[in-house]
Structure formats: C-alpha cells, structure tokens
C-alpha cells in the first residue's frame, strides 16, 4: 500500500505540476486569442441565450424547433455541467488557495477563469459538432467523441485513454470523495453517523441517477439555481456586515498577486509563485475548464448549432469562479481569520461564523452537502458516458448500480489513497482533451466566425485537415 501511495504521489506531482498548469493556461490563452476575446466580449449574448434556452421546445427567438437534436434543454445542459462543477472546490478549494497562496491567489483564480471561458466554449462547440446517436437513440458526445470523429480513427486510442481516465476518476472525485466530505461535515456539525449519511446520499442519488440524463438534468435544472442563488445571497449578507473591510480586501487581492506576503499569525507567508500556483490549480479544480468533463453534458443539449451551445457553456466557468468562488474568497478575506493557519472547509466555516456567530458551521455544512450531492449526480453521467464509449450502451445499467453502491463506502472509508488516485486520474483526463482542443482549434475558430458573420457551414466543410 505504501509503495502504491508513493507511486501515485510521484505521478500526481507531475500531472498537477507546473507543466500541466502551463498547458491548461497555454491552450486556454491560445483559444482566447484565436477567438479574439469573443468569450469575454459576448458574455451578455451567452446570458441571453441561457435565459431563452430554458425551454427545450424552442430556440432563442421563440420559434418552435422540434427538429433540434438532443435530449435536454440548453439551460439544463449547463445546469447539469454546473451540478458537477460547483462543489467542494468552491468552499474548501478557495479556502486552501488563500491559506497556502495568500490573498493574491484569488486574482490568479480570476485569470484562470477568464482564460477557461474560451476553453469551455471550444469544448462545447466540439461536443455538439461531433456527437453521435447511440443504439438507444440518445445523443452522446464529449472529448472521446470529438477525438474519434474530429481527428479520425488513428487517434481513437487517445479518446479511449480519456474515457478510461474519466470512468475511473468519476468514482473518486465525483463519488467517494464527495460523500466522505459530506459525512465528515454532518458528523462534526450535527453528530450524524457517517454510515447514515452515506445511506441517505445513496438513496437520494440512486433515485435520480438510475433515471438517466433526463432525470439528472431535471433535478439539476431546479436544484443548481436554487442552491447557487442561496449561497450567493448568504455570502452577500456576510459582505454587507463586513462592508468596511471590502475595499481593503480588494486592494490586498491585487497587491499580493504581484508581491510576496510576509508570515503573520498562523499564516506561513507566500511568495508570488505560490499565489500563482495555488490560484491557478484551485481555479482549474473548481471550474474544470480543460478537463473535458462539462462537454459530455453539453453534447446532450437540444440544439443543432454548436456555437450557440458554446456561448452557453462558457458561462459555467464564469458562474463557478468569477461569481461563486469570489463570494467565498471575499467572505474569508473580510473576516480576517485566514491568518490563523486554518484551511479547507473549516476556514470557510470560521469566516461565515465570524460574521454570523453560531451559524457558520451549519451554513457551510448544509451548502457543502447540497453541492456535493449535485456533484455526484453530474459525475455519474460523465462516468457512464465514458464507460459507454469503452464497452457500449449495455454497460450503462451496471455502471449506474456500481456507482450508487460506492457512495456509502466512500462515506465511511479512509480516502487518503483514493483521493490521491482520483486527483491523478482527473488531471490525466485533461491531457487527451487539451491535445484534441489544440488540434481541432481551427474547427472552433471557423464555426465561431461563421456564426457571427451569418455564414452557413455544412457539416464537414469546417474540417480542413486529414482525418484518415
């Protein structure tokens, strides 16, 4: 066991090291430049399309489009991806970034998000453009399919690698780690036994997951907006209470993004490189831009226009990091308890408690539970689609059952090695995806240019490279 642990620690140090972070940022910057900052410039357009895309039976503009492909509305496709994205990273991840990288880490999280908007846009465009209809009549897509159908069969091994890493990572980062985090929070705050929490989550998750993408999307479409808005409102209440600290906090974020922070209190201090490293790493962990998970959900959207879904998909990174993570960061920094040396979810709880005495742990525990629950739902879908790519549609029922049964095991287990393995496979998902995004970027650029110039490109015309 120790040998296995050492092996994965070594691999993890490489796959989540500086080269990976540079690759994630590099591909994102390349896509952002190739798109001429369109994801940032067209943020308002994306929000408008999201609002109009709530109804799966109509397109933006209100015209009936029953011939649109896909199973779920564009709105619910985003909510499904957000259900997997908004999770422990928004609470524990932000706190850890600040505890280890200082206030300046928040600035680099923002930069990662702005770059990641282009990555998410490209992922969704390719997911819709190269999706397939499986043997059951459902639309399936994601990195493994745009590798297979966009790059050609000679790259099929790369799509298989992504699917393998995704199917395994889903059991860790999207299952056992989530149920364990909730069980720990419920036990420490309310004294609820871990096994009971695990069984409750298993029952609730199973009722949704076994119903497939339509049921997952329906639940996500209602639960994600409610939980997101409730957390944002709670954070704003704390910021109103700490309003006198807000201006100084914003100044700290920008100052320490480019200047080292000296040790103070229990805070060990942080160099600028640490602020960049932890800001970028936790930003990517939170919004998953470049990992290739979100496009699996967007591939099921009811639309025939890849760019339209891309404009909606890029909002996921904006909402997750620029909005939700920023709320957490400002709550922590205005509370002035981040210098105590505490980190993770407990630091976020202490920060809420400083403004709302006696309520901080309860608020964070409940929010963490809901966030983790929806993360399990989203990753169940991602994992089953990866499994389907490898073994066919008949493997889905078995995968769902095994996935659900693993939930209570995660709640009571010691997850040291499991977390390490899941984190490692999560990063390894990004490598095939980033390669595909770079190679297929001309397709993304051509489709985006055509959409905004009103050109009509027939399927296949945007491919100007050899797919033999």
């Amino acid at each position: 066991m120790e040998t296995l642990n050492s092996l994965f620690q070594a691999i993890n140090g490489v796959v989540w090291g500086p080269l990976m972070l540079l690759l994630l940022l590099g591909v994102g910057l390349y896509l952002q430049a190739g798109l001429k900052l369109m994801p940032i410039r067209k943020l308002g357009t994306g929000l408008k399309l999201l609002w109009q895309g709530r109804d799966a039976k109509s397109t933006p503009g209100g015209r009936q489009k029953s011939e649109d492909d896909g199973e779920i509305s564009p709105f619910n496709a985003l909510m499904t991806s957000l259900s997997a994205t908004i999770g422990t990273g928004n609470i524990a991840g932000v706190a850890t970034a600040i505890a280890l990288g200082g206030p300046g880490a928040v600035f680099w999280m923002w930069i990662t998000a702005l770059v990641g908007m282009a990555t998410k846009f490209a992922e969704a465009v390719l997911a819709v453009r190269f999706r397939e209809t499986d043997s059951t009549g459902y639309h399936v897509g994601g990195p493994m399919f745009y590798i297979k159908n966009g790059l050609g069969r000679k790259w099929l091994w790369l799509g298989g690698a992504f699917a393998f890493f995704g199917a395994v990572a889903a059991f860790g980062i999207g299952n056992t780690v989530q149920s364990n985090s909730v069980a720990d929070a419920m036990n420490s705050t309310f004294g609820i036994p871990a096994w009971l929490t695990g069984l409750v989550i298993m029952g609730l998750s199973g009722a949704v997951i076994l119903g497939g993408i339509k049921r997952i999307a329906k639940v996500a479409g209602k639960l994600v907006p409610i939980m997101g808005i409730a957390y944002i409102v709670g954070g704003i209440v704390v910021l109103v209470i700490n309003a006198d600290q807000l201006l100084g906090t914003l100044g700290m974020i920008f100052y320490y993004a480019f200047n080292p922070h000296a040790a103070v209190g229990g805070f060990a201090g942080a160099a600028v490189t640490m602020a960049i490293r932890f800001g970028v790493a936790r930003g990517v962990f939170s919004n998953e831009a470049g990992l290739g998970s979100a496009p699996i959900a967007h591939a099921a959207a009811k639309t025939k226009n890849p760019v339209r879904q891309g404009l909606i998909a890029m909002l996921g990174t904006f909402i997750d990091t620029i909005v939700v993570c920023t709320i957490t960061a400002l709550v922590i920094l205005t509370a002035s308890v981040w210098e105590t040396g505490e980190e993770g979810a407990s630091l976020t709880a202490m920060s809420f408690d400083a403004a709302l005495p006696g309520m901080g742990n309860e608020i964070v525990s409940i929010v963490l539970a809901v966030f983790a629950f929806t993360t399990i739902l989203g990753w169940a879908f991602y994992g089953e689609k990866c499994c389907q790519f490898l073994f066919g549609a008949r493997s889905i029922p078995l995968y769902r059952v095994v996935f659900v049964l693993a939930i209570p095991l995660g709640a009571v287990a010691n997850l040291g090695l499991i977390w390490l393995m899941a984190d490692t496979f999560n990063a390894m998902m990004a490598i095939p995806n980033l390669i595909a995004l770079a190679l297929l970027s001309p397709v993304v650029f051509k489709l985006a240019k055509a959409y905004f110039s009103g050109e009509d490109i027939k399927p296949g015309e945007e491919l100007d490279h050899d797919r033999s």
Side-chain angles (χ1 to χ4, degrees):
M1 187 64 72
E2 288 183 9
T3 303
L4 193 62
N5 192 69
S6 299
L7 175 64
F8 272 96
Q9 280 185 337
I11 297 173
N12 191 268
V14 174
V15 296
W16 274 121
L19 286 176
M20 170 59 80
L21 299 181
L22 284 173
L23 185 61
L24 284 162
L25 284 179
V27 172
L29 285 169
Y30 167 68
L31 292 169
Q32 193 70 269
L35 291 166
K36 300 177 182 177
L37 302 181
M38 181 275 295
I40 297 175
R41 292 187 291 107
K42 297 295 183 179
L43 180 63
T45 303
L47 290 169
K48 181 181 178 181
L49 289 172
L50 175 65
W51 181 256
Q52 294 172 333
R54 292 170 298 150
D55 183 3
K57 296 179 181 178
S58 64
T59 63
R63 298 186 305 276
Q64 292 299 310
K65 293 284 287 185
S66 59
E67 71 269 23
D68 271 352
D69 299 326
E71 285 68 52
I72 58 179
S73 71
F75 176 87
N76 279 352
L78 177 63
M79 292 305 108
T80 301
S81 71
L82 278 176
S83 72
T85 303
I86 298 180
T88 55
N90 298 81
I91 295 177
V94 174
T96 300
I98 293 172
L100 300 178
V106 179
F107 174 84
W108 296 107
M109 288 183 72
W110 292 340
I111 296 299
T112 302
L114 293 176
V115 170
M117 287 177 66
T119 308
K120 276 280 178 75
F121 172 83
E123 289 176 331
V125 167
L126 294 174
V128 174
R129 169 62 188 83
F130 294 111
R131 65 186 176 182
E132 296 180 0
T133 303
D134 66 16
S135 59
T136 63
Y138 281 79
H139 287 81
V140 291
M144 54 282 200
F145 287 97
Y146 53 72
I147 288 172
K148 171 189 170 186
N149 299 324
L151 296 179
R153 298 198 68 84
K154 65 182 179 181
W155 291 91
L156 190 59
W157 63 272
L158 192 67
F162 174 88
F164 172 75
F165 296 141
V168 175
F171 277 95
I173 207 73
N175 185 321
T176 53
V177 168
Q178 302 297 328
S179 61
N180 191 269
S181 298
V182 176
D184 183 61
M186 292 293 105
N187 182 259
S188 61
T189 304
F190 303 108
I192 300 173
W195 64 266
L196 180 58
T197 299
L199 289 176
V200 171
I201 298 175
M202 181 183 72
L204 294 174
S205 300
V208 180
I209 292 169
L210 297 178
I213 181 56
K214 290 187 177 181
R215 192 177 299 172
I216 291 174
K218 187 175 181 180
V219 172
K222 291 179 170 56
L223 195 55
V224 170
I226 292 172
M227 74 172 185
I229 292 171
Y231 183 69
I232 291 169
V233 170
I236 290 174
V237 170
V238 172
L239 294 180
V240 169
I241 295 172
N242 297 335
D244 59 325
Q245 302 290 324
L246 196 54
L247 194 59
T249 293
L250 291 172
M252 274 200 311
I253 290 173
F254 286 99
Y255 180 81
Y256 290 117
F258 304 97
N259 296 277
H261 195 296
V264 56
F267 178 61
V272 174
T273 52
M274 291 178 66
I276 297 173
R277 176 188 171 190
F278 288 106
V280 172
R282 294 301 168 179
V284 170
F285 176 77
S286 176
N287 61 51
E288 298 180 8
L291 296 189
S293 50
I296 298 175
H298 289 288
K302 280 196 172 185
T303 182
K304 282 187 176 179
N305 194 304
V307 175
R308 196 164 62 218
Q309 193 60 33
L311 289 166
I312 293 173
M314 71 186 191
L315 298 176
T317 301
F318 182 85
I319 294 169
D320 176 271
T321 305
I322 302 297
V323 179
V324 181
C325 285
T326 297
I327 289 289
T328 302
L330 293 178
V331 167
I332 291 171
L333 292 172
T334 56
S336 300
V337 297
W338 63 273
E339 300 172 343
T340 60
E342 196 68 57
E343 61 182 84
S346 58
L347 174 57
T348 307
M350 286 174 60
S351 302
F352 270 91
D353 208 63
L356 303 169
M359 298 173 61
N361 283 328
E362 287 79 2
I363 291 173
V364 172
S365 294
I366 293 171
V367 169
L368 186 65
V370 178
F371 280 6
F373 172 68
T374 57
T375 297
I376 290 172
L377 301 184
W379 271 94
F381 180 66
Y382 295 162
E384 76 171 50
K385 292 299 124 182
C386 288
C387 183
Q388 179 181 352
F389 183 82
L390 294 171
F391 305 109
R394 285 188 287 185
S395 66
I396 291 177
L398 177 60
Y399 186 91
R400 289 176 181 171
V401 171
V402 175
F403 190 90
V404 171
L405 292 176
I407 294 172
L409 297 178
V412 298
N414 184 335
L415 293 187
L417 179 59
I418 293 177
W419 173 273
L420 186 61
M421 292 173 65
D423 195 39
T424 302
F425 281 117
N426 209 213
M428 292 175 77
M429 290 170 61
I431 298 172
N433 184 50
L434 291 171
I435 292 172
L437 289 176
L439 293 176
L440 290 170
S441 57
V443 176
V444 177
F445 300 154
K446 193 167 185 177
L447 287 172
K449 182 180 178 181
Y451 178 82
F452 288 107
S453 63
E455 294 179 43
D456 183 23
I457 295 183
K458 296 178 181 179
E461 289 183 351
E462 76 280 13
L463 292 170
D464 54 6
H465 59 282
D466 180 17
R467 296 199 298 137
S468 62

